[in-house]
Amino acid sequence: MFRTSLRNVFAHKARLAMTVLAICLGVAFVSGTLVFADSSAAAYRAAATQNFAGIAVSVTPKDPPPGTAVDQRSPALDDALVRKVARVPGVAAVRPTADGSAVLNAADGTPLRTGKAWANLGAAYVPGTDGKDSRYPLLDGRAPRGSGELALDRGTAAAGHLRPGDLVTVATDGPVMKKRLVGIVSTKDTRVTAGGTLALFDKAGAQRLFASPGHYTGIDVSAAAGTDPFELSRRIEAVLPADRAEAITGSAQAAQQATNIDTMTRGYEKMPMIFAGVSLFIGSFLVVNTFTMLVSRRIREIALLRAIGAGRRQVVRSLLLEALLIGLAASAAGFLLGLGIAAVLPDVLGAGGDTLPDGPLVIGARPVLAALGVGVGVTVLAAWLPSRKAAKVAPVEAMRVAEQPPSAARSRRRGVLGLALLALGAGLLISLTGAEDASEENLQSALLGCAVLVAALIVLAPLLAAPVIRLSGRLTGRFGVIGHLARENALRDPRRTAATAATLMISTALVAGLAVIGNSTGQALDRQTAAGLGADYVIGTRTPTTGIDQAAVRRVADTPGVRSAAAVSDSTLFAGGRVQEISGVDPQDADATMKLDFVSGSLKNLGPGRIALSATLARELGVSAGGKLTASMGRAQKAGPYTVAGIYRDNPTAHDALGARGEVQHHSYKPGSVQRILVRTEDGATARTQEQLRSAVGNSPLLKVQDREELVREAAGAVGNLLTLMYGLLAIGVVISALGIVNTLAISVAERTREIGVLRAIGMGRSAIRRMIRLEAVTVAAFGTLLGLAGGVFGAWAVGALANGAMEQYALSLPWGTLVLVCLASLAIGTLAAALPARRAAALSPLEAVSEG
């Protein structure tokens, strides 16, 4: 049986190669993602280790205990403590540091790499006895020597198109500064190599910015030869103020930094894994279809094996052995392709600004085992049903007829099962249309409903093939006899047609559903922004802990063309066990810039101890206008009573709650400052006005000046990811669907060799044969596309009901252009996939074809 299985595999090399390729894609995404993840983690660890090379122990300030009013920039690390640490036995040298956050503008004035606030680093350049800082080797220019100078790392300078001698705009946590770039350095800090920036100041300047004069944020200690870092850490810990500072070994700090960066960048694995799951799911249908067709063609051969003594289990084992061999080939090919994916992923992510540390590919046991498990597992499982079907055929019956059509009873059972699944899936989705929120439970129910709906379409597809193809046959009928033959060929085996169309149906349903949800969400965000924002511009901070000073607010208000500038202070509101956002406003300014729609109460009622709530938050807390609420703001240690001054319809600009600006500002992320300025202009949004507003806030890289369109694009960031996912899924569906159609037509042409020979013999030309095969492929593709579009749009409508509960402005909006492109792409798939089978059919000699078999 092993030799038989091996012979069968090599007897159908071309067809099975396409099956291998379909599974290979999924294996490649899985193994490639795992290799990429392991390689990235190893590169981060290596970079962190190099970054902390020579540092045996790091002294850092301890976080103040909760509730104590201790300045975050602790004065514990001063010159006296540096001298004390230097006298500890085993210490070879000490290097005090002053580090913090610094954001830069590029040469064109735009903020540079602000997408990762945790990686915009500012630090002190601390020269040693030789005048150089070993941690930041100079590549060009010199070290910063005064308060008006700075140095940048090579990557930051290249990204900002900055060169020594340029004047650089930089901000830490206050007014914008202009400093001269005097040097370019290299760094192995993983925060910077992961896409961040590095700005180096002279030591005194860094102390003023990130600590205080004479104080530091850390002390790096190198050990004398033969000194154990852990023992040295214990000795240093003994001389530190116990409640103000601590000693950590350099290796522990390097490991922690590598882990932190790895955690923050772990999202890179999600998208390839989604593609892997989809490609494996769709590819499994191709495996099932291919094995089903091969079993159907080999019924006589299987019957002969049964007749000469092969048992049912031997037949099953033989076919599963074939699947195992194919799975092994797919795993090997997929793993090699996965190495290529892992190698190019850093460049792909780097094109989007996500720089990753360099390092070799790390091939561990995990990706190898995953490739084998996924490739072999999916293939063997997909071949199990066809093998069971083959083993159940009686030898005499199989010798009598090549293929038995499904019985009426079996068709009825399929119909009943399909309708039951359809009713269950559709009922589950329809029941969610009344949901008021997109909770995790409702989302899980929606996903389950969509999965059941897809299963129902797969089960019903053979029964739907005949009516749908006859309906679409009116179009192919325009091609005369050739179109009629193509339609009848597609109807010859509805099960095969349905199985072939299933791959295209699933990918089309995914793409159509995501396209509808993405388009509807994008338009809802646009409407929501327009409905909730009366201002033409919003000037906001990039991080919650950053503030806009009152002088900047006055400059914005005095900008030519500005009608009004409303300052807003943001903070957190703790109420009912929930953490919400509260905006502090001046009632006379907020109404015009926020377009507030109060259901009850009034904005004028705001004041100390009086807040307004959004309708959603009021419903969740169970309060109404005039009611009492126990809550606390920002860093307040104790909760107090608040009166609900009013309830307004949900408004993204106003956040979850509104309070008087003076009270909220006192408890804001940065007390005494504001986080947003809502600007109304005389002539609307113009490029000149936007440039003037940027100048009014000093072109600070810490601040964003956005008009409505930019706010919508920022809010729709998740929608952009959704569209990227959609096009990726479409590409996977296109490739696997094309492979399935090629496989089906190739086997169909082989089965119809005599028939094609007769057609050639009675006068049908080669071009007509090719056209017939192409029309058959287009018919199958159209069938799968129609079912996929119907299922995808219905699923999007039902899932969209959840978004409607969470987003008041949400309404179903069909992206007609995208849907039409999907239909055209499907027809193109059918045409292209039929090229090789059509060419083979047209090349058959009439006499040889008639005499075959």
Side-chain angles (χ1 to χ4, degrees), residues 745-783:
L745 291 179
I747 294 177
S748 179
V749 167
E751 290 176 346
R752 288 151 42 196
T753 300
R754 280 190 173 188
E755 175 186 320
I756 293 172
V758 171
L759 291 175
R760 290 292 313 281
I762 62 176
M764 183 176 284
R766 292 186 175 182
S767 61
I769 293 290
R770 285 194 295 266
R771 198 177 308 122
M772 180 183 69
I773 300 298
R774 291 195 189 103
L775 285 175
E776 183 180 347
V778 169
T779 300
V780 174
F783 170 62

CSV table of all heavy atoms in Angstrom, one decimal, residues 745-783:
chain,number,residue,atom,x,y,z
A,745,LEU,N,-10.4,22.2,-13.3
A,745,LEU,CA,-10.5,22.2,-14.8
A,745,LEU,C,-9.6,21.2,-15.3
A,745,LEU,O,-9.9,20.5,-16.4
A,745,LEU,CB,-10.3,23.6,-15.3
A,745,LEU,CG,-11.4,24.6,-15.1
A,745,LEU,CD1,-11.0,25.9,-15.7
A,745,LEU,CD2,-12.7,24.1,-15.6
A,746,ALA,N,-8.4,21.1,-14.7
A,746,ALA,CA,-7.4,20.1,-15.2
A,746,ALA,C,-8.0,18.7,-15.1
A,746,ALA,O,-7.9,17.9,-16.1
A,746,ALA,CB,-6.1,20.2,-14.4
A,747,ILE,N,-8.6,18.4,-14.0
A,747,ILE,CA,-9.2,17.0,-13.8
A,747,ILE,C,-10.4,16.9,-14.7
A,747,ILE,O,-10.6,15.8,-15.3
A,747,ILE,CB,-9.5,16.8,-12.3
A,747,ILE,CG1,-8.3,16.7,-11.5
A,747,ILE,CG2,-10.3,15.5,-12.2
A,747,ILE,CD1,-8.5,16.6,-10.0
A,748,SER,N,-11.2,17.9,-14.8
A,748,SER,CA,-12.3,17.9,-15.7
A,748,SER,C,-11.9,17.6,-17.2
A,748,SER,O,-12.6,16.9,-17.9
A,748,SER,CB,-13.1,19.2,-15.6
A,748,SER,OG,-14.3,19.2,-16.4
A,749,VAL,N,-10.9,18.3,-17.6
A,749,VAL,CA,-10.4,18.1,-19.0
A,749,VAL,C,-10.0,16.7,-19.2
A,749,VAL,O,-10.2,16.0,-20.2
A,749,VAL,CB,-9.3,19.1,-19.3
A,749,VAL,CG1,-8.6,18.7,-20.6
A,749,VAL,CG2,-9.9,20.5,-19.5
A,750,ALA,N,-9.2,16.1,-18.2
A,750,ALA,CA,-8.8,14.7,-18.3
A,750,ALA,C,-10.0,13.8,-18.3
A,750,ALA,O,-9.9,12.8,-19.1
A,750,ALA,CB,-7.9,14.4,-17.1
A,751,GLU,N,-11.0,14.0,-17.6
A,751,GLU,CA,-12.2,13.2,-17.6
A,751,GLU,C,-13.0,13.3,-18.9
A,751,GLU,O,-13.6,12.3,-19.3
A,751,GLU,CB,-13.1,13.5,-16.4
A,751,GLU,CG,-12.6,13.2,-15.0
A,751,GLU,CD,-13.5,13.7,-13.9
A,751,GLU,OE1,-14.4,14.5,-14.2
A,751,GLU,OE2,-13.3,13.2,-12.8
A,752,ARG,N,-12.9,14.4,-19.6
A,752,ARG,CA,-13.7,14.6,-20.8
A,752,ARG,C,-12.9,14.6,-22.0
A,752,ARG,O,-13.2,15.2,-23.0
A,752,ARG,CB,-14.4,16.0,-20.7
A,752,ARG,CG,-15.5,16.0,-19.6
A,752,ARG,CD,-15.7,17.4,-19.0
A,752,ARG,NE,-15.7,18.5,-19.9
A,752,ARG,CZ,-15.5,19.8,-19.6
A,752,ARG,NH1,-15.4,20.1,-18.3
A,752,ARG,NH2,-15.5,20.7,-20.5
A,753,THR,N,-11.8,13.8,-22.0
A,753,THR,CA,-10.9,13.7,-23.1
A,753,THR,C,-11.7,13.2,-24.4
A,753,THR,O,-11.6,13.8,-25.5
A,753,THR,CB,-9.7,12.7,-22.8
A,753,THR,OG1,-9.0,13.3,-21.7
A,753,THR,CG2,-8.8,12.6,-24.0
A,754,ARG,N,-12.4,12.1,-24.2
A,754,ARG,CA,-13.2,11.6,-25.3
A,754,ARG,C,-14.2,12.6,-25.8
A,754,ARG,O,-14.4,12.8,-27.0
A,754,ARG,CB,-13.9,10.3,-24.9
A,754,ARG,CG,-13.1,9.1,-24.9
A,754,ARG,CD,-13.9,7.9,-24.8
A,754,ARG,NE,-13.2,6.7,-24.9
A,754,ARG,CZ,-13.7,5.4,-25.0
A,754,ARG,NH1,-15.0,5.3,-24.8
A,754,ARG,NH2,-13.0,4.4,-25.1
A,755,GLU,N,-14.9,13.3,-24.9
A,755,GLU,CA,-15.9,14.2,-25.3
A,755,GLU,C,-15.3,15.4,-26.0
A,755,GLU,O,-15.9,15.8,-27.1
A,755,GLU,CB,-16.6,14.8,-24.0
A,755,GLU,CG,-17.6,15.9,-24.2
A,755,GLU,CD,-18.1,16.4,-22.9
A,755,GLU,OE1,-18.3,15.7,-21.9
A,755,GLU,OE2,-18.2,17.7,-22.8
A,756,ILE,N,-14.2,15.9,-25.6
A,756,ILE,CA,-13.5,17.0,-26.3
A,756,ILE,C,-13.0,16.5,-27.7
A,756,ILE,O,-13.1,17.2,-28.7
A,756,ILE,CB,-12.3,17.5,-25.5
A,756,ILE,CG1,-12.8,18.2,-24.2
A,756,ILE,CG2,-11.5,18.5,-26.3
A,756,ILE,CD1,-11.7,18.5,-23.2
A,757,GLY,N,-12.6,15.2,-27.8
A,757,GLY,CA,-12.2,14.7,-29.1
A,757,GLY,C,-13.4,14.6,-30.0
A,757,GLY,O,-13.2,14.9,-31.2
A,758,VAL,N,-14.6,14.2,-29.5
A,758,VAL,CA,-15.8,14.2,-30.4
A,758,VAL,C,-16.1,15.6,-30.9
A,758,VAL,O,-16.4,15.8,-32.0
A,758,VAL,CB,-16.9,13.6,-29.6
A,758,VAL,CG1,-18.2,13.8,-30.4
A,758,VAL,CG2,-16.7,12.1,-29.4
A,759,LEU,N,-16.0,16.6,-30.0
A,759,LEU,CA,-16.3,18.0,-30.3
A,759,LEU,C,-15.3,18.5,-31.4
A,759,LEU,O,-15.7,19.2,-32.4
A,759,LEU,CB,-16.2,18.9,-29.1
A,759,LEU,CG,-17.3,18.7,-28.1
A,759,LEU,CD1,-17.1,19.6,-26.8
A,759,LEU,CD2,-18.7,19.0,-28.6
A,760,ARG,N,-14.1,18.1,-31.3
A,760,ARG,CA,-13.1,18.5,-32.3
A,760,ARG,C,-13.4,17.8,-33.6
A,760,ARG,O,-13.3,18.3,-34.7
A,760,ARG,CB,-11.7,18.1,-31.8
A,760,ARG,CG,-11.1,18.9,-30.7
A,760,ARG,CD,-10.9,20.4,-31.1
A,760,ARG,NE,-10.2,20.5,-32.3
A,760,ARG,CZ,-8.9,20.3,-32.5
A,760,ARG,NH1,-8.1,20.0,-31.4
A,760,ARG,NH2,-8.3,20.4,-33.7
A,761,ALA,N,-13.8,16.5,-33.5
A,761,ALA,CA,-14.1,15.7,-34.7
A,761,ALA,C,-15.2,16.2,-35.5
A,761,ALA,O,-15.3,16.1,-36.7
A,761,ALA,CB,-14.3,14.2,-34.3
A,762,ILE,N,-16.2,16.8,-34.8
A,762,ILE,CA,-17.4,17.3,-35.6
A,762,ILE,C,-17.3,18.8,-36.0
A,762,ILE,O,-18.3,19.4,-36.4
A,762,ILE,CB,-18.7,17.1,-34.7
A,762,ILE,CG1,-18.6,17.9,-33.4
A,762,ILE,CG2,-18.9,15.7,-34.4
A,762,ILE,CD1,-19.9,17.9,-32.6
A,763,GLY,N,-16.1,19.3,-35.8
A,763,GLY,CA,-15.8,20.6,-36.3
A,763,GLY,C,-15.5,21.8,-35.4
A,763,GLY,O,-15.3,22.9,-35.8
A,764,MET,N,-15.5,21.5,-34.1
A,764,MET,CA,-15.2,22.6,-33.1
A,764,MET,C,-13.7,22.9,-33.1
A,764,MET,O,-12.9,22.0,-33.0
A,764,MET,CB,-15.7,22.3,-31.7
A,764,MET,CG,-15.5,23.4,-30.7
A,764,MET,SD,-16.1,23.1,-29.1
A,764,MET,CE,-17.9,23.3,-29.4
A,765,GLY,N,-13.4,24.2,-33.4
A,765,GLY,CA,-12.0,24.6,-33.5
A,765,GLY,C,-11.3,24.7,-32.1
A,765,GLY,O,-12.0,24.7,-31.1
A,766,ARG,N,-10.0,24.8,-32.2
A,766,ARG,CA,-9.2,24.9,-30.9
A,766,ARG,C,-9.6,26.2,-30.1
A,766,ARG,O,-9.7,26.2,-28.9
A,766,ARG,CB,-7.8,24.9,-31.2
A,766,ARG,CG,-7.2,23.6,-31.7
A,766,ARG,CD,-5.7,23.6,-31.9
A,766,ARG,NE,-5.3,22.3,-32.3
A,766,ARG,CZ,-4.0,22.0,-32.4
A,766,ARG,NH1,-3.0,22.9,-32.3
A,766,ARG,NH2,-3.6,20.8,-32.8
A,767,SER,N,-9.8,27.3,-30.8
A,767,SER,CA,-10.2,28.5,-30.1
A,767,SER,C,-11.5,28.4,-29.4
A,767,SER,O,-11.8,28.9,-28.3
A,767,SER,CB,-10.2,29.7,-31.1
A,767,SER,OG,-11.2,29.5,-32.1
A,768,ALA,N,-12.5,27.7,-30.1
A,768,ALA,CA,-13.8,27.4,-29.4
A,768,ALA,C,-13.7,26.6,-28.2
A,768,ALA,O,-14.3,26.8,-27.2
A,768,ALA,CB,-14.7,26.8,-30.4
A,769,ILE,N,-12.8,25.6,-28.2
A,769,ILE,CA,-12.5,24.7,-27.1
A,769,ILE,C,-12.0,25.5,-25.9
A,769,ILE,O,-12.5,25.4,-24.8
A,769,ILE,CB,-11.6,23.6,-27.4
A,769,ILE,CG1,-12.2,22.6,-28.4
A,769,ILE,CG2,-11.1,22.8,-26.1
A,769,ILE,CD1,-13.3,21.8,-27.8
A,770,ARG,N,-11.0,26.4,-26.2
A,770,ARG,CA,-10.4,27.3,-25.2
A,770,ARG,C,-11.5,28.2,-24.6
A,770,ARG,O,-11.6,28.4,-23.4
A,770,ARG,CB,-9.3,28.1,-25.8
A,770,ARG,CG,-8.0,27.3,-26.0
A,770,ARG,CD,-6.8,28.2,-26.2
A,770,ARG,NE,-7.0,29.0,-27.5
A,770,ARG,CZ,-6.5,28.6,-28.6
A,770,ARG,NH1,-5.8,27.4,-28.7
A,770,ARG,NH2,-6.6,29.3,-29.7
A,771,ARG,N,-12.3,28.7,-25.5
A,771,ARG,CA,-13.4,29.6,-25.0
A,771,ARG,C,-14.4,28.9,-24.1
A,771,ARG,O,-14.9,29.4,-23.1
A,771,ARG,CB,-14.1,30.3,-26.2
A,771,ARG,CG,-14.9,31.5,-25.8
A,771,ARG,CD,-15.5,32.2,-27.1
A,771,ARG,NE,-14.5,32.4,-28.1
A,771,ARG,CZ,-14.6,31.9,-29.3
A,771,ARG,NH1,-15.6,31.1,-29.7
A,771,ARG,NH2,-13.7,32.1,-30.2
A,772,MET,N,-14.7,27.7,-24.5
A,772,MET,CA,-15.6,26.9,-23.7
A,772,MET,C,-15.1,26.6,-22.2
A,772,MET,O,-15.8,26.8,-21.2
A,772,MET,CB,-15.9,25.6,-24.3
A,772,MET,CG,-16.9,24.7,-23.6
A,772,MET,SD,-17.1,23.0,-24.4
A,772,MET,CE,-15.5,22.3,-24.1
A,773,ILE,N,-13.8,26.3,-22.2
A,773,ILE,CA,-13.2,26.0,-20.9
A,773,ILE,C,-13.2,27.3,-20.1
A,773,ILE,O,-13.4,27.3,-18.8
A,773,ILE,CB,-11.8,25.4,-21.0
A,773,ILE,CG1,-11.9,24.1,-21.8
A,773,ILE,CG2,-11.1,25.2,-19.7
A,773,ILE,CD1,-12.6,23.0,-21.1
A,774,ARG,N,-12.8,28.4,-20.7
A,774,ARG,CA,-12.8,29.7,-20.0
A,774,ARG,C,-14.1,30.1,-19.5
A,774,ARG,O,-14.3,30.6,-18.3
A,774,ARG,CB,-12.2,30.8,-20.9
A,774,ARG,CG,-10.7,30.7,-21.2
A,774,ARG,CD,-10.2,31.9,-21.8
A,774,ARG,NE,-8.9,31.8,-22.3
A,774,ARG,CZ,-8.6,31.6,-23.7
A,774,ARG,NH1,-9.6,31.7,-24.5
A,774,ARG,NH2,-7.3,31.5,-24.0
A,775,LEU,N,-15.2,29.9,-20.3
A,775,LEU,CA,-16.5,30.3,-19.8
A,775,LEU,C,-17.0,29.4,-18.7
A,775,LEU,O,-17.7,29.8,-17.8
A,775,LEU,CB,-17.5,30.1,-21.0
A,775,LEU,CG,-17.5,31.2,-22.1
A,775,LEU,CD1,-18.4,30.9,-23.2
A,775,LEU,CD2,-17.8,32.6,-21.5
A,776,GLU,N,-16.6,28.1,-18.7
A,776,GLU,CA,-16.9,27.2,-17.6
A,776,GLU,C,-16.2,27.8,-16.3
A,776,GLU,O,-16.8,27.8,-15.2
A,776,GLU,CB,-16.4,25.8,-17.9
A,776,GLU,CG,-16.7,24.8,-16.8
A,776,GLU,CD,-16.2,23.4,-17.1
A,776,GLU,OE1,-15.8,23.2,-18.3
A,776,GLU,OE2,-16.2,22.6,-16.2
A,777,ALA,N,-15.0,28.2,-16.4
A,777,ALA,CA,-14.3,28.7,-15.2
A,777,ALA,C,-14.9,30.0,-14.7
A,777,ALA,O,-15.1,30.2,-13.5
A,777,ALA,CB,-12.8,29.0,-15.6
A,778,VAL,N,-15.3,30.9,-15.6
A,778,VAL,CA,-16.0,32.1,-15.3
A,778,VAL,C,-17.3,31.8,-14.6
A,778,VAL,O,-17.7,32.5,-13.6
A,778,VAL,CB,-16.1,33.0,-16.5
A,778,VAL,CG1,-17.1,34.2,-16.2
A,778,VAL,CG2,-14.8,33.5,-17.0
A,779,THR,N,-18.0,30.8,-15.1
A,779,THR,CA,-19.3,30.4,-14.5
A,779,THR,C,-19.1,30.0,-13.0
A,779,THR,O,-19.9,30.4,-12.1
A,779,THR,CB,-19.9,29.3,-15.3
A,779,THR,OG1,-20.2,29.8,-16.6
A,779,THR,CG2,-21.3,28.9,-14.7
A,780,VAL,N,-18.1,29.1,-12.8
A,780,VAL,CA,-17.8,28.7,-11.4
A,780,VAL,C,-17.4,29.9,-10.5
A,780,VAL,O,-17.8,30.0,-9.4
A,780,VAL,CB,-16.7,27.6,-11.5
A,780,VAL,CG1,-16.3,27.2,-10.0
A,780,VAL,CG2,-17.2,26.4,-12.2
A,781,ALA,N,-16.5,30.7,-11.1
A,781,ALA,CA,-16.1,31.9,-10.3
A,781,ALA,C,-17.3,32.8,-10.0
A,781,ALA,O,-17.4,33.3,-8.8
A,781,ALA,CB,-15.0,32.7,-11.1
A,782,ALA,N,-18.2,33.0,-10.9
A,782,ALA,CA,-19.3,33.9,-10.7
A,782,ALA,C,-20.2,33.3,-9.6
A,782,ALA,O,-20.8,34.0,-8.8
A,782,ALA,CB,-20.1,34.1,-12.0
A,783,PHE,N,-20.4,32.0,-9.6
A,783,PHE,CA,-21.2,31.3,-8.6
A,783,PHE,C,-20.6,31.5,-7.2
A,783,PHE,O,-21.4,31.9,-6.3
A,783,PHE,CB,-21.3,29.8,-8.9
A,783,PHE,CG,-21.9,29.0,-7.8
A,783,PHE,CD1,-23.2,29.2,-7.4
A,783,PHE,CD2,-21.2,28.0,-7.2
A,783,PHE,CE1,-23.8,28.5,-6.4
A,783,PHE,CE2,-21.8,27.2,-6.2
A,783,PHE,CZ,-23.1,27.5,-5.8
